[in-house]
Amino acid sequence: QLVESGGKTVQTGGSLRLSCQASGYHHSAYCLAWFRQAPGKAREGVAGIGTNGVAAAADSVKGRFTISRDSAKTTLFLEMNSLKPDDTAMYYCATGVYCANVLSPSEYGTWSQGTQVTVS
């Protein structure tokens, strides 16, 4: 089960942190990631952490967004800085098993309910 929070409306250039509380999975075998979907667009990978602990991020957010997790590996975070209107979307966290591509939605089987981020 994934429960996320933190989405809201912010101004261009602002910052925001999303959190995703995960339960009921063996963290050592799972990859974790953040995705987003804007109206009329496909869901895209934003940032993810593989089972080896290596993180990856989409080119559009590199240098601005940072993915991390707490030491217990039960909470996933997405720190977003220098936000742009193009970052406006519904954001989701997800878990998958041994993901070959941590930014591909098809690798993930469990999804959060989504939280809206709007940059004005």
Side-chain angles (χ1 to χ4, degrees):
Q1 182 181 4
L2 300 172
V3 179
E4 66 174 308
S5 60
K8 65 178 183 179
T9 298
V10 296
Q11 292 187 339
T12 298
S15 298
L16 200 59
R17 188 174 83 157
L18 303 182
S19 300
C20 176
Q21 181 72 40
S23 61
Y25 77 104
H26 298 288
H27 56 75
S28 62
Y30 277 70
C31 42
L32 305 163
W34 290 97
F35 293 83
R36 66 186 181 187
Q37 187 167 19
K41 295 187 177 181
R43 188 168 296 188
E44 64 172 344
V46 175
I49 301 176
T51 53
N52 57 3
V54 176
D59 289 343
S60 59
V61 305
K62 281 180 180 176
R64 299 189 300 121
F65 291 11
T66 302
I67 187 171
S68 63
R69 58 188 176 187
D70 65 350
S71 57
K73 299 181 181 179
T74 58
T75 304
L76 187 69
F77 302 101
L78 183 67
E79 191 75 38
M80 303 185 291
N81 298 310
S82 302
L83 283 162
K84 308 173 182 179
D86 284 350
D87 297 318
T88 295
M90 187 72 78
Y91 283 71
Y92 303 86
C93 59
T95 63
V97 182
Y98 297 116
C99 304
N101 180 355
V102 295
L103 297 182
S104 172
S106 64
E107 300 276 14
Y108 294 82
T110 302
W111 295 82
S112 66
Q113 77 284 2
T115 189
Q116 179 67 38
V117 173
T118 302
V119 184
S120 61

